[in-house]
Amino acid sequence: MKFKHFSAWAFVALASISTVNAQKKSYIETLSEPNQWVDSVFNKLSRRQKIAQMFFVRALTNSTKAYEDSIGNVIKKERIGGLVFFQGGPGRQVILTNKYQELARVPLLVTSDGEWGLGMRLDSTISYPYQMALGAVQNKELIYKMGLEVAKDYRRVGMHMNLAPDVDVNNNAKNPVINYRSFGENKYNVATSGAAYMKGMQDGGLMVSLKHFPGHGDTDVDSHFDLPQLNFTKARLDSLEIYPFWELIRQNASGVMIAHMNIPALDNTPHMPSTLSKPIVTGILKEELGFKGIIISDAMEMKGVVKYFKDGEADVMAVIAGNDILELSENSDRAIKLVRKAVRSGRISMERIDESVKKILMAKYWAGLNKKDSLDEHHVHADVNRPESLALRQELANAAMTLLKGRELLPQLDKEKRTVIISLGTPEVTVFQKELGAYYQNAVFYTLDKNANANQIAVVARELAGFDQVIIGIHDTRTRPGNGMVLSADLKMFLKDQSQKNACFAVFANPYNLSQWSGLENSKFLLVAYQKEDFMQKAAASVFKNEVNPSGRLPVTVNMFFKYGDGR
C-alpha cells in the first residue's frame, strides 16, 4: 500500500509540537522487548483465563447498586481483562474503580470514549470542543496540549486508554453517526489533527484507539442500528479512508478500533462486518499496514455486528479475525465459553489467543498496572477541573472561530452605536448576548424560539429600523450539534431578509446546517462557531469585540458557497 506523505505545511505544524514524555518508550516500542512481569502473569493464566483477558464489559456509576455489584461478580468470576466506563461522575468512578481493581486477580485495563475529554461520559468534568470544531483550528499544538490535559484527567480517575481520536474522514454530509465527531473531510487535516491529539495523550501516558477502521466517514447508516455498506474500490479506500490510519500507525499509535461495516471490495462474504473479517483485520490492518498494537472491536452488542451473526458467533469470529479486545459482548460468559470451545475444536489456535493476551498484558504494564496502587478518592472534582484546562479550552474555542464573510466589517463595529442582539432558536437570553451586552453600550436583546411564527417575528422586525447595528446568533440547543437543526419557515424567511441587509451572523451549530438557510451566502458578515456551548459563545463574542482574530478554516464543504478551507 502506498500513500503520499503529509503536505509540507502539515510537517511544519507538527514539527513545532514538543513531547513532554520523550524518555518513556511508546507502547509499540515495548512490544518487541522481553518483560518479566508480562511473562510472569501470562504463565499463571489458564486457557480460560487467557481468553477472558480479551473481554471488556460495561461499567457505569449512575446505575443501581445491583448493577454495580453484578459487574463486580463478573470481574471476580469471569476474570475479564478490563472495563469500558460509560455515564457517571468522576468521584463515584474513582471509588468504584478502586473497588473493582481490588476484586481483580490481574489488574483491569480501564477505558472509555473520550473524543472530547471526560465530559463525553462523566458529569461535572470538562468537555473540549467537538472534533469538527477542532478541525477548524490551524494551530495543531493547541490540540496536542488538549491531548496532554485529557491524559491527566483520564489517569486521575483511573483510566488507561481513551477510545479516541476519531480519524474518520467525514466526506458525507448526511453521516448520522460520525459527522461532528470527525476533524472534517480532508484526509490531511484529519491526519495532522488526529496525530496532534494522539501524541498529546500518548505523551501523557495514555493508550489511544484510532477509530473506526477502515473509515466510517462516508456512510449514511448508523452501525448501532444496522450494518452500513461501503461500496468503494480498494484503491479509493486506500487513498482516502485508510490514509489517516496509515499515517498515525507510522507514528506509533497504540491502538485501533475496528468498525462494523460491510465492505465488499475488501471482503465479499455476504453481510460480513469488517469487525469479523480476517481479510480486513489481519490481512489489511496487521499485515498490509504493519500495525503491531492493540486491536479493539467496536461494541459487540451493536446491531451492525450481531444482526447477521447471532448467539455469540460474532464473538468467536472477532477473535478469529484478529481482534485483541472485544468490548461489550452481549454475553461475556457465553462468549468466553464459545471461544474456548472453538479452541478445543481447532477452529482457533492458542497461538492466536496468546498473541492478544501478551499485547493486553503489555498494555497493562505500560500503563503502570504492574505496581499495585489505589486511587486517591479526595478532591477528584477539583483535580479534573483545573484552571489551565479551562483556559486551554477557551483558547481552542477562540482558535476555531471561522469567519466566512465580513473581515473588512470587523473594524467598523462600534461599541457606542445603537445595537440590537438577537438570538434565534432559543427563548432564553444567551451567553453570546450577555457578553456583547457588556461591551456594546447601547444594546437591546431579543430572542426568538426555533418555532417562532410570523407575528412574533414581526414584533422584532419592526424594532430593527431604530438600530445602527444588528447582530444575530443562530443557536442549536440540541445536546449534540448534528444536521437537521429545526427553524420555523418564518424564521428562515427572517434570516433571508436580514442577510440582504447589514446584519451580522454568528452560527452556533454544525456548519452543514448552512445549506438549509437560503440567503446567508449573501450576508455581509458570517461567523461559524460550530456548537452551542458557553465557551464557543464567549469566543464568538470576543470576535465581535475585536479581541480575538478569527483564524479558523472550514473543515468541511457545505455547498458551492461554503467550501473546505474557507475562512481567514
Side-chain angles (χ1 to χ4, degrees):
M1 180 176 295
K2 295 182 179 179
F3 292 105
K4 293 180 180 178
H5 293 298
F6 287 137
S7 55
W9 66 267
F11 274 125
V12 172
L14 287 178
S16 66
I17 296 175
S18 58
T19 58
V20 299
N21 202 18
Q23 292 77 22
K24 183 174 181 177
K25 290 182 179 178
S26 72
Y27 167 72
I28 298 297
E29 290 172 320
T30 65
L31 286 172
S32 60
E33 300 177 344
N35 187 288
Q36 185 177 356
W37 182 84
V38 169
D39 291 342
S40 173
V41 175
F42 178 84
N43 291 331
K44 291 174 185 174
L45 296 176
S46 68
R47 179 177 290 184
R48 188 194 181 285
Q49 291 163 358
K50 287 178 181 177
I51 294 167
Q53 282 293 302
M54 299 176 70
F55 288 86
F56 283 44
V57 302
R58 182 191 306 268
L60 58 164
T61 61
N62 69 347
S63 187
T64 62
K65 180 70 163 55
Y67 181 85
E68 292 181 5
D69 291 344
S70 72
I71 299 305
N73 288 332
V74 169
I75 292 167
K76 193 157 53 173
K77 293 179 180 179
E78 295 180 24
R79 298 177 70 170
I80 54 168
L83 301 172
V84 184
F85 266 99
F86 283 80
Q87 282 71 24
R92 302 193 302 277
Q93 183 164 318
V94 164
I95 293 168
L96 194 58
T97 298
N98 279 337
K99 173 185 172 181
Y100 286 162
Q101 291 288 18
E102 279 296 318
L103 294 172
R105 301 272 190 92
V106 177
L108 298 161
L109 193 72
V110 183
T111 182
S112 79
D113 294 287
E115 294 161 29
W116 48 90
L118 282 183
M120 183 167 173
R121 296 296 186 214
L122 300 183
D123 62 35
S124 64
T125 57
I126 292 176
S127 288
Y128 289 93
Y130 298 124
Q131 289 188 191
M132 177 75 80
L134 296 179
V137 173
Q138 300 305 296
N139 181 358
K140 305 304 179 186
E141 189 163 3
L142 290 175
I143 302 174
Y144 172 81
K145 290 177 180 177
M146 171 183 149
L148 290 175
E149 293 302 301
V150 169
K152 289 177 188 174
D153 292 341
Y154 261 63
R155 300 293 297 186
R156 178 62 185 90
V157 300
M159 292 196 286
H160 317 103
M161 174 185 282
N162 189 357
L163 301 179
D166 188 316
V167 294
D168 297 311
V169 180
N170 199 89
N171 48 5
N172 186 335
K174 295 179 181 179
N175 194 315
V177 64
I178 305 302
N179 203 301
Y180 65 88
R181 297 166 59 193
S182 166
F183 290 109
E185 70 176 37
N186 180 280
K187 65 181 182 181
Y188 301 109
N189 188 38
V190 169
T192 52
S193 300
Y197 190 16
M198 178 192 81
K199 286 172 182 289
M201 287 190 283
Q202 292 191 160
D203 286 351
L206 192 64
M207 300 276 291
V208 305
S209 173
L210 313 179
K211 60 187 185 186
H212 305 80
F213 185 85
H216 211 314
D218 199 352
T219 60
D220 56 10
V221 172
D222 186 341
S223 52
H224 289 86
F225 307 112
D226 206 341
L227 180 63
Q229 187 173 79
L230 281 188
N231 287 307
F232 301 126
T233 65
K234 187 175 188 299
R236 146 71 192 254
L237 293 164
D238 283 349
S239 65
L240 182 59
E241 276 79 8
I242 293 177
Y243 176 81
F245 294 95
W246 180 80
E247 273 291 356
L248 272 61
I249 286 169
R250 289 177 58 248
Q251 298 178 53
N252 284 336
S254 50
V256 170
M257 178 184 286
I258 310 296
H260 304 314
M261 294 187 299
N262 179 246
I263 313 172
L266 304 185
D267 187 336
N268 62 9
T269 308
H271 308 304
M272 177 63 72
S274 42
T275 342
L276 312 186
S277 168
K278 188 172 182 180
I280 293 175
V281 179
T282 294
I284 295 177
L285 180 58
K286 295 171 76 171
E287 295 174 356
E288 201 169 315
L289 271 67
F291 182 60
K292 308 267 189 243
I294 293 269
I295 300 173
I296 308 148
S297 75
D298 206 345
M300 294 297 294
E301 63 191 8
M302 290 164 61
K303 292 294 184 288
V305 68
V306 298
K307 180 176 180 178
Y308 298 104
F309 300 90
K310 303 180 184 297
D311 302 322
E313 174 63 11
D315 297 300
V316 175
M317 292 179 64
V319 174
I320 294 171
N323 293 277
D324 302 308
I325 292 173
L326 280 65
E327 61 156 343
L328 312 185
S329 168
E330 287 184 305
N331 184 324
S332 57
D333 182 51
R334 177 185 68 185
I336 292 166
K337 289 176 182 175
L338 287 173
V339 173
R340 193 178 177 195
K341 182 180 177 182
V343 171
R344 285 199 297 266
S345 70
R347 190 180 177 195
I348 299 175
S349 70
M350 270 314 293
E351 287 77 17
R352 165 78 274 279
I353 303 293
D354 290 349
E355 176 193 0
S356 291
V357 175
K358 287 180 179 178
K359 285 199 279 184
I360 292 165
L361 292 176
M362 185 61 85
K364 294 181 178 185
Y365 178 85
W366 189 85
L369 285 167
N370 57 309
K371 298 174 183 176
K372 190 172 178 61
D373 197 6
S374 61
L375 300 165
D376 183 355
E377 296 178 0
H378 301 93
H379 314 297
V380 179
H381 178 269
D383 290 346
V384 295
N385 286 275
R386 299 177 300 279
E388 58 269 29
S389 299
L390 295 168
L392 175 62
R393 181 175 69 179
Q394 194 59 58
E395 273 192 88
L396 286 161
N398 293 349
M401 292 299 104
T402 304
L403 187 59
L404 298 181
K405 286 176 166 288
R407 183 168 293 275
E408 68 282 356
L409 289 182
L410 268 177
Q412 298 175 32
L413 292 173
D414 190 335
K415 66 180 180 179
E416 295 183 2
K417 287 183 177 179
R418 292 170 300 170
T419 304
V420 61
I421 307 165
I422 307 171
S423 285
L424 304 185
T426 173
E428 308 294 333
V429 172
T430 62
V431 169
F432 180 60
Q433 287 174 302
K434 292 174 183 176
E435 290 283 319
L436 290 182
Y439 177 78
Y440 290 100
Q441 298 169 6
N442 297 298
V444 174
F445 301 158
Y446 290 105
T447 63
L448 289 167
D449 195 12
K450 63 184 179 181
N451 298 315
N453 59 38
N455 290 334
Q456 294 167 321
I457 294 167
V459 171
V460 174
R462 281 196 296 267
E463 300 294 323
L464 299 187
F467 293 92
D468 303 310
Q469 300 174 147
V470 178
I471 299 174
I472 300 175
I474 306 172
H475 298 259
D476 187 352
T477 59
R478 295 175 297 173
T479 303
R480 299 284 182 259
N483 296 5
M485 178 184 165
V486 174
L487 289 180
S488 69
D490 292 320
L491 270 182
K492 290 181 180 179
M493 286 300 297
F494 177 70
L495 283 178
K496 186 172 184 178
D497 178 65
Q498 289 301 310
S499 67
Q500 293 170 354
K501 300 175 183 177
N502 288 323
C504 299
F505 295 92
V507 178
F508 301 100
N510 189 311
Y512 284 130
N513 287 292
L514 289 170
S515 64
Q516 63 176 334
W517 300 325
S518 175
L520 280 186
E521 67 275 7
N522 299 317
S523 61
K524 305 295 190 298
F525 187 101
L526 180 59
L527 181 72
V528 176
Y530 296 98
Q531 55 191 82
K532 65 179 174 61
E533 279 67 29
D534 289 356
F535 53 86
M536 302 302 274
Q537 294 191 50
K538 289 178 180 178
S542 294
V543 171
F544 279 86
K545 293 186 284 186
N546 278 297
E547 295 171 353
V548 163
N549 175 38
S551 60
R553 291 188 175 181
L554 202 60
V556 292
T557 293
V558 175
N559 54 25
M560 62 183 292
F561 304 110
F562 307 117
K563 298 180 179 179
Y564 170 82
D566 285 353
R568 302 181 71 178

